């Protein structure tokens, strides 16, 4: 029962009144509050730990060349942390109160704030991830240009521009272009996609989905370009015996991380963005989930509504996975990988030694 944006106007919310609110309350009555609570705690812990590690690394003298990348990671962790703190408590309070949304928010202002927060903290991480992918591609494929032009002030300006642009975009429904509406099962608000008579709503919803998909495409393309450059450079470095081992370890670590980033972003965001575009083009909305007109439609609609909820939860899950994929798991996975490799190599070495000792003893016995 966790979701996104509220585009329902206050008057419309009041008119829906008891029927919608009661249905929403009943829809959530059988769902445990453990899911949003667990997501909030996990997200806060992971992002706070990532920010702590980034702050320590940023101050170190040997990390001067990595400061642009560390700024991006720290900004991503801060954005995800704020998103968790601003949206999860609202969802949890609606769960625990067991009351209809209109009873908690009769004016609709909380719904508008929730929708605004979901838009900001949905697009910002995607854009920051794209900026990080571009930064890594420039660092690998154009190292000389990167060293001379990519300064920390440039990174700060790009991050500030992303935040300001997304904030301005998320304010469009408040200015009258687009809507934030109450979504099924009545515990969250997100961008309205079903009102075909309002051109502004369709424009805002489609722009959100297209921007999100474009950022995913940019991230995937840049990461693939970086992987290709790393593989080609590994082949070149393989001729130098001294540096091949160290470079191979760094390249393998980076490759695993880039693949993890692409998989996590695509799995978390593609279902929601594609579903939004599908609803926009078909002029449908998941507001019909608030009540089923017949038993024949009930099963099909229930599946669609559940899929939409799963898509929203996957997008919310990205805020939890970001710090682990970008920072925390990088060292953990590398250490585990090295330990496993060392264990395998030690076992093989021991087997070779045992075989050589056995063979030597047999030769001595035969000679005797």
């Amino acid at each position: 029962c966790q979701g996104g944006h509220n585009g329902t106007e206050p008057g419309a919310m009041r008119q829906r009144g008891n029927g919608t609110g009661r249905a929403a309350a009943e829809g959530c009555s059988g769902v445990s509050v453990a899911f949003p609570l667990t997501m909030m705690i996990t997200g806060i812990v992971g992002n706070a730990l990532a920010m702590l590690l980034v702050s320590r690394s940023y101050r170190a003298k040997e990390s001067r060349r990595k400061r642009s990348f560390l700024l991006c990671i720290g900004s991503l962790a801060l954005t995800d942390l704020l998103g968790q703190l601003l949206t999860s408590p609202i969802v949890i309070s609606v769960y625990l109160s067991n009351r209809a949304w209109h009873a908690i928010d009769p004016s609709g202002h909380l719904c508008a704030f929730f929708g605004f927060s979901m838009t900001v903290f949905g697009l910002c991480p995607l854009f920051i991830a794209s900026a990080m992918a571009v930064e890594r591609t420039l660092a690998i494929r154009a190292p000389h240009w990167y060293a001379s032009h990519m300064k920390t002030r440039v990174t700060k300006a790009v991050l500030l521009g992303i935040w300001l642009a997304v904030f301005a975009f998320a304010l469009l429904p408040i200015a009258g272009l687009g809507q934030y509406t109450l979504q099924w099962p009545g515990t969250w608000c997100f961008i309205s996609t079903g009102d075909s008579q309002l051109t502004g709503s369709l424009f805002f919803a489609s722009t959100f989905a297209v921007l999100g998909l474009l950022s995913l495409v940019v991230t995937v393309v840049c990461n693939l370009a970086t992987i290709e450059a790393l593989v080609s450079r590994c082949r070149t470095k393989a001729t130098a015996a001294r540096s091949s081992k160290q470079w191979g370890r760094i390249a393998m670590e980076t490759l695993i991380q880039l693949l993890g980033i692409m998989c996590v972003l695509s799995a978390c965001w593609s279902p929601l963005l594609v579903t939004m575009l599908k609803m926009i083009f078909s002029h449908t909305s998941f507001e019909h989930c608030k009540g089923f007109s017949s038993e024949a439609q009930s099963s099909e609609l229930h599946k669609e509504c559940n899929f939409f909820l799963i898509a929203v939860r996957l997008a919310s899950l990205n805020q939890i996975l970001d710090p682990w994929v970008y920072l925390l798991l990088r060292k953990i996975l590398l250490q585990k990988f090295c330990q496993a490799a060392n264990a395998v190599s030690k076992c093989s070495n021991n087997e070779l030694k045992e075989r050589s000792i056995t063979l030597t003893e047999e030769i001595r016995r035969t000679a005797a």
Side-chain angles (χ1 to χ4, degrees):
C1 289
Q2 185 174 351
H5 297 264
N6 180 359
T8 305
E9 296 178 355
M13 289 177 64
R14 294 192 193 98
Q15 291 175 2
R16 287 174 187 168
N18 296 332
T20 299
R22 199 175 293 115
E26 292 174 358
C28 279
S29 60
V31 183
S32 173
V33 73
F35 184 82
L37 185 61
T38 302
M39 289 185 66
M40 183 184 71
I41 295 175
T42 308
I44 291 174
V45 172
N47 286 292
L49 181 59
M51 291 178 61
L52 178 61
L53 294 177
V54 167
S55 63
R56 290 183 177 178
S57 300
Y58 189 83
R59 296 173 185 175
K61 294 182 180 180
E62 59 271 12
S63 299
R64 289 181 179 179
R65 296 181 180 180
K66 303 177 182 178
R67 285 190 173 179
S68 294
F69 185 70
L70 291 174
L71 276 175
C72 291
I73 294 181
S75 302
L76 181 64
L78 177 62
T79 303
D80 289 334
L81 179 63
L82 290 176
Q84 290 284 337
L85 291 176
L86 292 178
T87 58
S88 295
I90 298 176
V91 176
I92 294 172
S93 63
V94 174
Y95 267 107
L96 297 178
S97 65
N98 199 24
R99 297 168 61 193
W101 185 284
H102 80 278
I104 301 174
D105 179 35
S107 64
H109 296 321
L110 181 62
C111 191
F113 171 77
F114 195 99
F116 171 81
S117 300
M118 290 289 289
T119 303
V120 169
F121 299 109
L123 284 181
C124 274
L126 288 174
F127 288 169
I128 294 175
S130 298
M132 294 172 68
V134 173
E135 187 267 348
R136 277 189 299 268
T137 304
L138 293 175
I140 297 296
R141 301 187 71 92
H144 298 292
W145 185 93
Y146 179 86
S148 59
H149 293 84
M150 198 64 184
K151 308 297 181 182
T152 54
R153 64 175 180 271
V154 177
T155 306
K156 293 178 181 178
V158 171
L159 292 173
L160 181 61
I162 289 174
W163 283 327
L164 293 178
V166 174
F167 265 67
F169 175 77
L171 287 173
L172 289 179
I174 299 177
L177 185 63
Q179 280 187 324
Y180 293 131
T181 55
L182 187 65
Q183 304 290 330
W184 182 80
T187 57
W188 60 288
C189 300
F190 195 52
I191 299 172
S192 176
T193 59
D195 198 342
S196 59
Q197 298 179 353
L198 297 178
T199 306
S201 297
L202 295 179
F203 170 79
F204 183 71
S206 59
T207 302
F208 176 88
V210 170
L211 288 176
L213 288 175
L214 284 177
S215 65
L216 285 179
V217 171
V218 170
T219 303
V220 171
V221 170
C222 289
N223 285 342
L224 289 177
T226 304
I227 290 174
E228 189 273 335
L230 285 173
V231 171
S232 61
R233 188 170 296 185
C234 278
R235 294 174 180 174
T236 304
K237 291 284 185 179
T239 57
R242 294 181 180 179
S243 59
S244 60
K245 292 184 179 180
Q246 182 179 3
W247 177 257
R249 179 183 61 82
I250 297 173
M252 180 61 66
E253 176 188 354
T254 306
L255 287 175
I256 293 175
Q257 185 187 33
L258 293 178
L259 290 174
I261 290 170
M262 289 190 295
C263 293
V264 168
L265 280 177
S266 301
C268 288
W269 278 102
S270 297
L272 176 61
L273 297 175
V274 172
T275 302
M276 287 185 65
L277 286 179
K278 180 181 177 182
M279 289 190 296
I280 292 168
F281 290 128
S282 60
H283 302 291
T284 59
S285 173
F286 282 99
E287 292 182 7
H288 61 248
C289 295
K290 296 171 183 176
F292 303 124
S293 57
S294 65
E295 294 182 359
Q297 294 178 344
S298 177
S299 177
E300 182 178 356
L301 290 178
H302 189 65
K303 291 180 180 179
E304 294 179 357
C305 297
N306 284 338
F307 178 79
F308 185 58
L309 272 182
I310 292 173
V312 173
R313 285 175 170 176
L314 284 175
S316 302
L317 188 63
N318 185 70
Q319 295 178 330
I320 299 174
L321 297 178
D322 274 341
W324 296 95
V325 173
Y326 281 95
L327 184 65
L328 301 179
L329 280 183
R330 181 167 183 167
K331 294 183 178 180
I332 296 174
L333 288 177
L334 180 62
Q335 291 174 357
K336 295 297 182 183
F337 177 79
C338 292
Q339 290 175 2
N342 290 333
V344 172
S345 62
K346 287 180 180 179
C347 290
S348 60
N349 290 334
N350 291 334
E351 290 179 359
L352 289 175
K353 290 179 180 179
E354 290 177 358
R355 290 178 182 177
S356 62
I357 292 173
T358 304
L359 181 60
T360 303
E361 291 179 352
E362 289 180 356
I363 293 173
R364 288 178 179 177
R365 292 175 182 176
T366 305

